[in-house]
């Protein structure tokens, strides 16, 4: 028995994906950013870092929509305000804090929805 093709909703009806069509997939990248020292209460800053693709040869393009997830818990009081791709394989993250923090590094996973 041949495997069933993925299901999708076409015109409100659940059907098999037509032959030759592709489902959107995610591209995964990882990188380590330096979290800046934020010495003032209610401070804001950014960090820019280079990411490497999980699949060799993949490139994260400027302007691609992304989701950014830290590999570990963020320090208490630190928040990711926004994230965007500023150049090929370069991600900038906006950070805000409600308490003073010292300089550190953190690894992030970046997922591009394609």
């Amino acid at each position: 028995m041949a495997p069933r093709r993925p299901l999708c909703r076409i015109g409100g009806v659940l059907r098999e994906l037509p032959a030759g069509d592709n489902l959107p997939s995610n591209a995964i990248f990882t990188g380590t950013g330096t979290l800046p020292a934020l010495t003032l209460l209610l401070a804001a800053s950014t960090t820019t870092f280079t990411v490497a693709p999980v699949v060799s040869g993949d490139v994260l393009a400027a302007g691609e929509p992304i989701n950014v997830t830290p590999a570990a818990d963020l320090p208490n009081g630190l928040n990711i305000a926004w994230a965007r791709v500023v150049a090929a394989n370069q991600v900038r993250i906006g950070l805000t804090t409600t308490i003073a923090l010292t300089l550190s590094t953190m690894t992030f996973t970046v997922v591009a929805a394609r």
Side-chain angles (χ1 to χ4, degrees), residues 11-78:
V13 178
L14 195 60
R15 299 176 190 226
E16 284 187 22
L17 187 68
D21 283 352
N22 295 319
L23 290 174
S25 61
N26 293 329
I28 301 173
F29 300 79
T30 60
T32 300
T34 300
L35 303 180
L38 298 169
T39 57
L40 301 173
L41 296 179
L42 303 176
S45 187
T46 63
T47 184
T48 303
F49 57 94
T50 301
V51 295
V54 171
V55 176
S56 179
D58 202 354
V59 176
L60 189 59
E64 273 194 84
I66 58 171
N67 289 316
V68 175
T69 305
D73 292 344
L74 290 173
N76 287 335
L78 182 66

Side-chain angles (χ1 to χ4, degrees), residues 29-35 46-52 60 66 68-70 80 82-95 106-110:
F29 300 79
T30 60
T32 300
T34 300
L35 303 180
T46 63
T47 184
T48 303
F49 57 94
T50 301
V51 295
L60 189 59
I66 58 171
V68 175
T69 305
I80 297 175
W82 53 267
R84 66 187 181 99
V85 183
V86 293
N89 289 341
Q90 295 284 311
V91 174
R92 181 171 296 145
I93 299 175
L95 303 163
M106 179 168 279
T107 300
F108 294 92
T109 299
V110 177

